[in-house]
Amino acid sequence: MLFCATSQATTPFPVTDVSGTQLVFITPPQRIISLAPNLTELAYAAGMSSHIVAVTAYSDYPQQAKQLPQVGDAFRLDWERLVALKPDLVLAWGSGLSSRDRATFEKLKLKVLVLEPRRLDDIPKVLRLLGRVAGTEPAAEAAAHAFVEQLDTLRRQYAGRTKVRAYFQIAAAPLLTVNDAHIISDVLRLCGAQNVFAAVPLLTPAISNEALVKENPQVMLAVAATYEQEEETKRIWRELPLIAVRQGRMVFIHPDLISRSTPRILLGAKRICEQIESARH
């Protein structure tokens, strides 16, 4: 991660976010808008609940986030409503912030903090940074410490395990997976698994049936929010000559527990590690 807070206990203090932009904070922001569900989760985990005045669509965790006004979704922002809420800080997800939106924020002179944890170790760093920015250090530190303890427990538990070649699917039509730069790959490493598409250049590449068959992973994993989604994915996989499918080594996990870079990702990681461990036997 590129961000860092460079002062100790005094203000003002500068922060450099993941985009390389430096922001200077003199006092903690009091009106914050989150532009992504994962950022909303991180903000709440960092003790910022009283500062969040709006979110975007699908910010459904924790429960109280559902009650907040929405200023758009991942594809379009409601600029009129956003400006009317008078935010003194906007939290943006790096890969979800278009150049056009960034230019609009600059034109409106709105302060934007861009975050994008790509590794599990980045999550406690983001929590601590948010706590520093918002003046909620005790809550943020408690959340970061709890995350690190749970992560270290999983690392010790699965250290030195035999590598298992794994495929992780984030969408079925077309087949979408993740490369090594995605945090899901970091979860696979945590469990002692090797992402068979780690070397593909794109973060979330589309792959062909032929490419998947050629890799022939030992375990198949996919996100699925419903039983119907699980069954549809199984149907697609069963049409391919894959050893893992014939052996029933298919694992499904709710997308909120693995696709969001938040403390809850360890719930997804625990289940994935358990399933990969069973594939070793």
Side-chain angles (χ1 to χ4, degrees):
M1 299 292 285
L2 299 177
F3 54 77
C4 60
T6 58
S7 77
Q8 300 300 316
T10 60
T11 55
F13 68 96
V15 168
T16 302
D17 69 12
V18 74
S19 72
T21 302
Q22 186 179 81
L23 295 84
V24 177
F25 293 88
I26 299 174
T27 58
Q30 298 301 307
R31 299 183 59 79
I32 300 172
I33 291 178
S34 166
L35 299 186
N38 37 18
L39 294 178
T40 302
E41 284 195 36
L42 286 164
Y44 272 90
M48 299 166 64
S49 59
S50 62
H51 303 287
I52 306 297
V53 297
V55 296
T56 48
Y58 305 107
S59 289
D60 52 10
Y61 188 90
Q63 187 70 25
Q64 53 264 49
K66 294 181 179 180
Q67 312 306 318
L68 293 172
Q70 294 188 0
V71 291
D73 53 32
F75 305 101
R76 187 186 68 84
L77 293 176
D78 184 338
W79 289 102
E80 184 176 351
R81 191 172 199 188
L82 190 153
V83 171
L85 287 165
K86 299 183 178 1
D88 47 16
L89 181 65
V90 176
L91 303 178
W93 194 252
S95 56
L97 183 64
S98 69
S99 57
R100 175 182 295 179
D101 286 346
R102 178 178 285 280
T104 303
F105 279 120
E106 291 177 357
K107 181 179 179 181
L108 294 171
K109 297 185 174 9
L110 292 175
K111 186 177 290 187
V112 180
L113 182 64
V114 182
L115 303 168
E116 187 158 11
R118 288 283 184 89
R119 292 289 181 262
L120 293 167
D121 286 333
D122 292 334
I123 291 175
K125 294 178 184 177
V126 170
L127 290 169
R128 290 180 173 119
L129 175 69
L130 289 173
R132 179 71 179 98
V133 166
T136 58
E137 292 99 326
E141 179 57 36
H145 181 73
F147 183 91
V148 170
E149 281 198 331
Q150 295 171 50
L151 178 57
D152 287 347
T153 297
L154 286 173
R155 280 182 172 147
R156 288 192 299 269
Q157 184 174 354
Y158 294 99
R161 292 293 202 272
T162 303
K163 293 292 183 187
V164 172
R165 300 178 68 257
Y167 164 67
F168 200 103
Q169 183 170 291
I170 59 173
L175 299 179
L176 287 183
T177 186
V178 297
N179 73 0
D180 191 56
H182 200 286
I183 198 167
I184 290 175
S185 267
D186 207 27
V187 172
L188 295 178
R189 276 191 297 276
L190 172 71
C191 302
Q194 175 190 350
N195 178 1
V196 295
F197 290 106
V200 177
L202 293 176
L203 184 66
T204 55
I207 59 165
S208 65
N209 290 345
E210 293 76 15
L212 181 55
V213 170
K214 181 180 178 181
E215 292 296 339
N216 206 12
Q218 294 170 270
V219 62
M220 308 280 290
L221 304 104
V223 295
T226 64
Y227 173 78
E228 289 73 21
Q229 288 177 2
E230 286 190 21
E231 290 303 302
E232 175 61 15
T233 297
K234 287 179 181 178
R235 183 192 66 77
I236 293 170
W237 287 350
R238 284 170 177 152
E239 293 176 352
L240 304 174
L242 296 164
I243 292 176
V245 174
R246 290 203 303 270
Q247 294 177 339
R249 292 177 176 173
M250 297 177 284
V251 183
F252 297 92
I253 186 136
H254 196 285
D256 289 358
L257 300 183
I258 192 63
S259 299
R260 296 185 182 185
S261 300
T262 74
R264 285 199 298 164
I265 199 171
L266 292 186
L267 297 175
K270 187 173 184 292
R271 170 167 167 73
I272 288 171
C273 287
E274 290 169 350
Q275 295 300 314
I276 287 174
E277 180 68 13
S278 69
R280 294 186 173 97
H281 304 292

